[in-house]
Amino acid sequence: MRNIYLKTTDEKEAIKIFHENLKEFFERKETEIVEVSKLLGRISAKSVFSKTSSPAFHSCAMDGVMIESKITKQARENKPLYIKNSDFEFCNTGQYLKKPYDSVIMIEDIKVEEDKIVILNPVRPWENVRIQGEDVIEKDLIYTAYHEFSAVDLSVLKSCGVTEVEVLKKPIIGIIPTGDEIINSNKAQLGKILESNSQMLKAMSEEIGASAKIYDIAKDDESILKQSVLKAVDECDFIVVIAGSSAGSKDYTLKVLKDLGEVYVHGISIKPGKPAILGKIKDKPFVGLPGFPVASHIVFDNFVITTILKKLKKSRPQKQIIKGFLTKQVISSLKNTEY
């Protein structure tokens, strides 16, 4: 039996319909606690506050000597000031500024003699000193909810005494390749197609902060596909079936989705990618992709990636656009968006 779709849905209308029916998916907020060292690219689930000030104490900002600024007031270039060893202490950058010292003279601005140093200029109070809390004060808000952590952020968190953060769980995308002609192999075989789409889709998922689980190839059998989909629904947050979405006699994706959940769109006005399917099973999004790799990529990017980014409250990474000239005429359809 063939699945015949009589009309296609505009791409923007399709994504609107799809998202309007995924309210539970977008509202569901699952979180986990993650160590700072593993936070790169993760999204904060709530605001993050510093546990300690940074710096946590007054510290020397230069190599040199710790000194009380008041005793340097008389220093002049034409009248050097001699300071005995008991009135200062040598220091290195980052070292705790001991009391009663309130400033640091850089090592290059002093002349060291046996029992004293010689300076030519006075220093001001707190000169060449990093004040406690200069960067961040204890209990300061340092990151808001839904912040994507960068490499620099990890350093900031550690410097503020934060060791772990509550983040959004990575959505798991279940990827099910299908087809009697598809094989998992590194060698080509006559009449067989090497399964490659799932690796591309898994990498695309990981690029935007999701994770992916690739299932065994489901043969062109309705009961086998149904069992694979049910397993993915139990284990994943988003189900993607590769191939079987068109109108062939062995295309069972639509039938399985109708039996297990809801179909919102079958057929989208894009080329390639027209036979895509959008739906839901147990409040989990479901997308049926065409098997042709370029079409699979386009539908996955435009519907799966867009949906995951919305759930994670992330903006879409900007793509580089390069203008060029076609070397031959291309006949284009007025009713489809072409990629």
Side-chain angles (χ1 to χ4, degrees):
M1 179 179 174
R2 292 180 180 272
N3 301 315
I4 306 298
Y5 41 82
L6 301 178
K7 68 183 184 71
T8 57
T9 304
D10 174 77
E11 182 181 6
K12 290 182 179 179
E13 181 64 19
I15 196 73
K16 180 182 176 184
I17 293 169
F18 191 38
H19 285 183
E20 283 177 348
N21 286 281
L22 296 178
K23 290 181 180 177
E24 299 91 343
F25 173 74
F26 291 126
E27 290 171 357
R28 193 160 54 243
K29 185 177 177 180
E30 296 176 291
T31 66
E32 60 183 345
I33 304 298
V34 173
E35 294 177 9
V36 167
S37 61
K38 299 176 181 177
L39 275 182
L40 185 64
R42 300 301 297 269
I43 308 295
S44 58
K46 57 186 181 182
S47 297
V48 182
F49 297 87
S50 61
K51 290 189 174 181
T52 61
S53 295
S54 177
F57 48 82
H58 300 325
S59 63
C60 304
M62 300 287 177
D63 295 341
V65 296
M66 294 182 271
I67 197 164
E68 287 185 89
S69 58
K70 65 184 181 182
I71 71 170
T72 72
K73 288 182 179 180
Q74 305 303 318
R76 298 291 184 273
E77 288 189 10
N78 60 352
K79 189 179 179 182
L81 184 64
Y82 296 85
I83 302 173
K84 57 183 184 291
N85 288 351
S86 59
D87 288 334
F88 68 87
E89 186 171 331
F90 284 100
C91 63
N92 295 315
T93 302
Q95 188 174 334
Y96 170 61
L97 184 72
K98 299 178 181 179
K99 293 181 179 180
Y101 307 127
D102 65 350
S103 59
V104 172
I105 303 175
M106 293 188 292
I107 193 69
E108 53 264 43
D109 291 338
I110 64 177
K111 181 181 178 183
V112 181
E113 297 189 357
E114 186 176 344
D115 59 346
K116 59 183 175 293
I117 58 172
V118 181
I119 65 172
L120 302 178
N121 294 291
V123 288
R124 300 182 303 274
W126 307 110
E127 187 172 346
N128 298 322
V129 173
R130 291 196 68 209
I131 305 298
Q132 181 180 7
E134 180 178 272
D135 294 335
V136 180
I137 296 172
E138 183 180 349
K139 298 183 180 179
D140 265 357
L141 170 67
I142 48 178
Y143 297 108
T144 58
Y146 305 113
H147 173 82
E148 182 178 355
F149 291 106
S150 68
V152 172
D153 296 334
L154 273 56
S155 174
V156 173
L157 289 164
K158 289 288 284 186
S159 70
C160 295
V162 178
T163 57
E164 56 187 24
V165 174
E166 185 176 356
V167 297
L168 299 180
K169 274 190 175 180
K170 289 185 177 184
I172 304 171
I173 302 173
I175 300 171
I176 306 172
T178 72
D180 291 340
E181 75 285 7
I182 304 298
I183 58 170
N184 263 328
S185 175
N186 294 323
K187 294 183 179 180
Q189 297 179 27
L190 186 64
K192 297 296 182 180
I193 299 172
L194 301 181
E195 202 290 296
S196 61
N197 282 338
S198 61
Q199 294 301 319
M200 169 181 66
L201 305 181
K202 181 176 186 290
M204 291 173 69
S205 304
E206 292 170 349
E207 275 183 332
I208 53 100
S211 60
K213 181 180 176 69
I214 300 174
Y215 289 85
D216 292 337
I217 297 168
K219 297 299 181 181
D220 288 326
D221 180 289
E222 185 179 335
S223 62
I224 291 175
L225 179 58
K226 186 175 288 186
Q227 289 305 310
S228 295
V229 170
L230 285 170
K231 182 174 172 63
V233 169
D234 284 341
E235 298 174 345
C236 304
D237 304 298
F238 200 125
I239 299 86
V240 172
V241 173
I242 306 172
S245 65
S246 192
S249 59
K250 291 187 176 182
D251 289 336
Y252 296 112
T253 304
L254 183 67
K255 176 70 165 58
V256 168
L257 178 57
K258 283 181 176 178
D259 289 348
L260 300 178
E262 302 170 64
V263 178
Y264 302 127
V265 175
H266 182 208
I268 301 171
S269 301
I270 57 175
K271 290 179 68 177
K274 180 180 175 183
I277 301 170
L278 308 178
K280 180 174 70 175
I281 300 175
K282 294 183 180 179
D283 293 329
K284 296 184 178 183
F286 180 103
V287 174
L289 304 176
F292 178 54
V294 176
S296 186
H297 179 283
I298 289 167
V299 174
F300 191 86
D301 188 47
N302 289 9
F303 293 93
V304 180
I305 295 297
T306 298
T307 303
I308 294 296
L309 287 172
K310 183 176 179 179
K311 180 173 178 63
L312 293 176
K313 294 180 170 53
K314 294 176 68 172
S315 56
R316 178 175 281 274
Q318 275 196 324
K319 293 182 179 179
Q320 185 180 13
I321 297 174
I322 300 173
K323 292 185 178 181
F325 295 93
L326 297 175
T327 58
K328 60 182 179 180
Q329 284 189 329
V330 175
I331 306 303
S332 183
S333 167
L334 293 176
K335 62 182 181 180
N336 295 310
T337 300
E338 297 193 29
Y339 290 90

